[in-house]
Amino acid sequence: MGHRHSKSDSSGSSDGSDSSRFPRFRRRIRLHRRRKSSNSTGQRTTIVVKDFVGIARIQLIEAEMKFRDRWFACISLGERTYRTVKSDYTHKPVWKSEKKVLLEKNGAHIARISVFETNRLSKSNLVGCCEIDLLDVLSRDSSDSSDKVLDLLDPSSANAVVGSISLSCSLEDPVETEKSFVRRILAIVDYNADGMLSFSEFSGLIDAFGNQVAAGKKEELFKAADKNGDGVVSMDELAELLAVQQQEESLISSCPVCGETLSNIDRLNDIIHLTLCFDEGTGNQIMTGGFLTDKQASYGWIWKLSEWAHVSSYDIGLKSGSKASHILVFDRRTKRLVEELIDGKIILSMRAIYQSKVGLTLINAGAKELLQSISEKQGRQMNSPESVKDIPTFIDFFKDQINVADAKYPVEYFKTFNEFFIRELKPGARPIAHEEYDSVAVCAADCRLMAFKSIDDSIRFWVKGRKFSVEGLLGTSIAAGNFSSGSMVIFRLAPQDYHRFHLPVSGVIEQFLDIPGYLYTVNPIAVNSKYCNVFTENKRVVSIISTSDFGKVAFVAIGATMVGSITFNKKQGDYVRKGEEFGYFSFGGSTVICVFEKDAIDIDEDLVANSGRSLETLVSVGMSLGVSRRSKAEAKLPNMDKCRVCD
């Protein structure tokens, strides 16, 4: 059946495992600093330079057992355990599952391999196990890889052989580690998945990771890789350029998984840190099936970037070393273009998951559940007393966009971050345009607004989601009627905005409809994606308001990533006045959409003109939105020249 390595010392005995046993690897590795990693208990451990051996690739290939069943195998090293997927019903299970692990001379190096049967009667019954000393095997084998067939022993009887398992283990070449990592990370910005990178794709990646020195060299690097001058380079060419030249500055200044600032002394060590941090940081203990392609491996990075970026956007502010990217919006009050600050990592994450073919795969494969989990976790955190410490940081980062003087209570009044987030405003802080005239609709939120005379215009200029429709937005139980040919206004709330929404019109609330869904971001990057429908797939609540001046108006409150709940303070049957508070979104950014029936409203021309240029307009609650066409026909119009908040 083969030889079994039976050393039982898993404490990391290092007899004879000095650096001379791994000369090929030692020539390439020069560690100049101490690296930190997290063990399974969450404590920080220090890896000492002289103890570093390398990254071992362990593959559990197949087994031969005494009877037929469904099987899975586990490999344990130190305090960590990784498992394969379940096999088919057979006595010769094939897994071809791989895991990379860090080897240290004074760390764990005795790997324990266990094989379990799993069926209806016995879901996880340990059948056989064995051990292998990775340091001993890798140091004695002169080839690049070492294939072994080990006896599996009955755990209740050390002398009874119950089967055998085949495995392969090797030390990964450090240069290949770096090249593979670069190809993997660059695959994220290859949005059309054509295997080529344009300069804008490459530039966006460097900008997102915030290394100013590297940003200054990106044109030089790109031109060096683009040997034929056609404006694009293959990922392999670019990876080779970045790996071989060994630039003085690392491409990435801080780890996108743990946020740790990286050293610029030895770039290769940073790549090792990033590779292992990703493997450990995902929380996914299932071993990969076979050897992944760089594109397949990049899926995991997109997962982690998406999770990290969404969380970091409310952590609060920019991480050290990151670079802010910008969305331009037109400030209606000042009549100037202003910048909406967003962390560059978030831009990278959103583009990767919402605007790429790879992202489409992830959306279909479970990104929805991931975003739900993130939102629930962050919602709990922002309701905790400890979250109050984040309020000053949040205010400081958005100091030019948050006016704390408008708040009803001082900052010291709030006991959690979420209490501050859903803060009320002082009476009169948001004047209502022509408050006495119900024929003038007003803006429902402090937000970035897009307004369209027809649904067709919104699809042409802004909403690019697949199969977007009013019926999909409002739900099939609400008769679309004239809504399908009506006007649509989108109120997007950013994290820095006042997060209570108000009524745009006066009338009677006829009904509320809860529609379950997911929690995609409402950022324009996702809204403009052709791969998902943010507005028709997200969790939302639809209310119908019956009015004298506008007919029926559909008011849709849409949840988004980090939004724990949507709360209304009005109920069905209530008569409401425009400008009154309607409800609020808990922690996170979100969106309100109002749909008017056909020919019900003339939206203010400045809002329509900006939207036709795909430019959002920054507005405040109570600003004029538009005038009822019915009132125009009946000549019941206010003097719009005296509207204070339209100027």
Side-chain angles (χ1 to χ4, degrees):
M1 283 284 188
H3 179 68
R4 172 179 176 265
H5 296 271
S6 59
K7 293 183 181 180
S8 59
D9 177 16
S10 59
S11 63
S13 165
S14 60
D15 294 340
S17 58
D18 55 75
S19 61
S20 63
R21 300 172 66 189
F22 302 94
R24 178 179 60 84
F25 205 88
R26 275 299 178 190
R27 282 198 298 270
R28 293 232 173 98
I29 298 291
R30 299 191 312 275
L31 296 181
H32 297 281
R33 63 186 175 93
R34 292 171 178 260
R35 292 179 51 253
K36 294 180 179 179
S37 63
S38 298
N39 60 27
S40 60
T41 63
Q43 297 175 331
R44 303 290 282 184
T45 59
T46 301
I47 299 173
V48 182
V49 170
K50 64 181 181 180
D51 290 335
F52 181 74
V53 174
I55 297 176
R57 298 171 63 146
I58 306 171
Q59 186 184 43
L60 300 184
I61 304 171
E62 58 188 0
E64 185 171 346
M65 308 304 295
K66 296 293 186 181
F67 56 92
R68 296 169 64 88
D69 209 328
R70 299 189 67 194
W71 307 91
F72 69 88
C74 292
I75 182 166
S76 301
L77 186 66
E79 298 178 348
R80 290 187 175 274
T81 297
Y82 313 97
R83 55 162 292 179
T84 68
V85 296
K86 295 177 183 177
S87 73
D88 295 330
Y89 187 77
T90 178
H91 72 286
K92 292 185 177 182
V94 177
W95 300 293
K96 295 184 179 178
S97 295
E98 181 199 31
K99 189 66 185 178
K100 293 182 182 180
V101 296
L102 179 69
L103 284 184
E104 300 171 82
K105 289 185 294 182
N106 292 319
H109 55 85
I110 305 296
R112 179 181 175 86
I113 301 169
S114 308
V115 176
F116 295 81
E117 62 171 334
T118 174
N119 51 50
R120 292 182 180 180
L121 298 178
S122 178
K123 293 185 177 180
S124 297
N125 182 38
L126 177 61
V127 174
C129 56
C130 61
E131 292 179 346
I132 182 172
D133 186 333
L134 296 175
L135 288 183
D136 181 58
V137 171
L138 292 173
S139 63
R140 286 191 295 103
D141 198 304
S142 59
S143 64
D144 287 341
S145 64
S146 178
D147 295 339
K148 299 292 179 184
V149 178
L150 307 180
D151 290 343
L152 291 170
L153 302 184
D154 187 332
S156 61
S157 175
N159 295 320
V161 176
V162 296
S164 65
I165 186 167
S166 299
L167 62 91
S168 172
C169 53
S170 63
L171 279 177
E172 186 171 75
D173 187 294
V175 172
E176 181 54 36
T177 298
E178 181 174 25
K179 290 172 62 178
S180 177
F181 169 78
V182 173
R183 288 194 300 268
R184 180 186 302 185
I185 203 70
L186 289 178
I188 294 174
V189 294
D190 181 21
Y191 300 125
N192 59 4
D194 65 353
M196 308 295 287
L197 292 182
S198 67
F199 177 72
S200 62
E201 290 172 332
F202 175 61
S203 177
L205 178 67
I206 294 183
D207 287 344
F209 284 120
N211 188 316
Q212 298 303 311
V213 175
K217 296 180 178 179
K218 59 189 177 185
E219 291 187 10
E220 174 187 340
L221 291 172
F222 188 84
K223 287 180 180 178
D226 183 18
K227 294 181 173 58
N228 61 1
D230 63 354
V232 294
V233 298
S234 71
M235 287 186 290
D236 282 344
E237 289 175 333
L238 201 52
E240 182 74 20
L241 175 75
L242 297 174
V244 173
Q245 287 196 353
Q246 292 292 324
Q247 300 300 313
E248 295 179 0
E249 296 290 336
S250 296
L251 177 65
I252 305 172
S253 295
S254 58
C255 176
V257 178
C258 70
E260 180 180 337
T261 300
L262 301 177
S263 167
N264 288 325
I265 298 175
D266 191 326
R267 182 167 176 261
L268 181 56
N269 293 324
D270 289 343
I271 299 299
I272 293 171
H273 167 88
L274 289 163
T275 300
L276 292 177
C277 198
F278 165 72
D279 287 342
E280 297 176 0
T282 58
N284 181 7
Q285 301 303 302
I286 300 293
M287 299 173 70
T288 60
F291 295 94
L292 298 183
T293 66
D294 293 316
K295 181 184 292 185
Q296 290 170 326
S298 72
Y299 291 175
W301 269 97
I302 294 177
W303 277 116
K304 198 60 193 178
L305 278 172
S306 180
E307 177 182 352
W308 184 94
H310 281 107
V311 172
S312 73
S313 60
Y314 306 98
D315 245 356
I316 301 295
L318 295 180
K319 287 282 187 180
S320 174
S322 64
K323 184 181 187 297
S325 294
H326 307 83
I327 294 177
L328 290 178
V329 298
F330 184 82
D331 189 330
R332 194 183 198 190
R333 191 181 301 275
T334 64
K335 293 182 169 53
R336 294 180 178 177
L337 287 173
V338 296
E339 295 176 328
E340 178 181 336
L341 291 179
I342 300 180
D343 190 338
K345 296 186 183 71
I346 300 174
I347 297 293
L348 173 68
S349 162
M350 289 180 180
R351 285 178 177 163
I353 202 165
Y354 292 109
Q355 293 193 339
S356 69
K357 292 182 180 179
V358 174
L360 172 62
T361 302
L362 293 179
I363 287 173
N364 292 334
K368 305 165 185 178
E369 290 73 17
L370 172 67
L371 298 179
Q372 178 75 38
S373 174
I374 296 170
S375 297
E376 292 174 353
K377 178 181 177 180
Q378 286 298 104
R380 290 191 296 270
Q381 179 180 330
M382 291 300 102
N383 278 317
S384 68
E386 294 77 16
S387 66
V388 73
K389 69 180 184 301
D390 292 323
I391 297 176
T393 310
F394 184 83
I395 293 173
D396 181 64
F397 178 66
F398 293 114
K399 59 187 175 184
D400 296 327
Q401 301 175 55
I402 296 178
N403 186 358
V404 294
D406 284 345
K408 185 176 182 179
Y409 302 106
V411 173
E412 296 76 19
Y413 170 85
F414 304 105
K415 305 304 179 186
T416 68
F417 182 87
N418 201 37
E419 285 185 7
F420 170 76
F421 191 78
I422 60 173
R423 61 194 177 278
E424 299 176 82
L425 299 183
K426 294 175 181 177
R430 297 291 185 271
I432 306 303
H434 299 285
E435 191 168 6
E436 67 277 19
Y437 291 96
D438 289 342
S439 56
V440 178
V442 297
C443 295
D446 286 9
C447 64
R448 293 96 178 99
L449 176 148
M450 297 293 286
F452 304 99
K453 292 181 179 180
S454 70
I455 302 299
D456 289 341
D457 286 345
S458 71
I459 296 173
R460 185 162 64 251
F461 294 121
W462 195 244
V463 184
K464 305 301 182 185
R466 47 188 175 183
K467 299 180 182 178
F468 172 81
S469 67
V470 174
E471 291 81 2
L473 174 68
L474 303 182
T476 55
S477 63
I478 293 180
N482 287 334
F483 285 134
S484 61
S485 302
S487 303
M488 186 168 77
V489 185
I490 304 169
F491 305 87
R492 177 177 68 88
L493 286 71
Q496 61 268 36
D497 290 326
Y498 161 66
H499 261 65
R500 292 178 180 255
F501 48 85
H502 293 241
L503 288 147
V505 294
S506 300
V508 176
I509 300 175
E510 285 192 352
Q511 70 177 108
F512 286 98
L513 174 65
D514 286 294
I515 302 178
Y518 304 109
L519 292 174
Y520 296 137
T521 178
V522 293
N523 186 278
I525 288 174
V527 175
N528 298 159
S529 171
K530 62 183 178 181
Y531 296 125
C532 65
N533 262 328
V534 172
F535 297 146
T536 61
E537 295 184 52
N538 272 26
K539 168 187 175 182
R540 57 200 183 279
V541 179
V542 180
S543 54
I544 301 298
I545 306 170
S546 180
T547 77
S548 298
D549 294 275
F550 297 94
K552 295 184 186 296
V553 178
F555 185 103
V556 187
I558 301 177
T561 306
M562 300 301 175
V563 176
S565 64
I566 305 169
T567 303
F568 287 85
N569 51 27
K570 303 292 184 181
K571 62 182 184 299
Q572 185 173 325
D574 283 354
Y575 177 78
V576 294
R577 297 281 301 174
K578 73 175 188 180
E580 290 180 347
E581 184 184 315
F582 197 10
Y584 57 86
F585 294 110
S586 294
F587 175 68
S590 196
T591 286
V592 167
I593 293 180
C594 287
V595 183
F596 293 83
E597 292 181 319
K598 183 180 180 180
D599 298 327
I601 186 173
D602 277 336
I603 301 172
D604 291 349
E605 282 302 322
D606 65 316
L607 302 178
V608 174
N610 288 339
S611 301
R613 298 160 54 201
S614 297
L615 178 65
E616 293 176 300
T617 304
L618 186 64
V619 300
S620 299
V621 167
M623 284 186 174
S624 172
L625 176 64
V627 179
S628 164
R629 283 194 174 185
R630 182 178 306 175
S631 296
K632 276 187 175 182
E634 298 173 2
K636 296 178 180 178
L637 293 175
N639 185 351
M640 299 299 287
D641 294 335
K642 296 181 179 180
C643 178
R644 291 179 298 163
V645 293
C646 289
D647 296 335

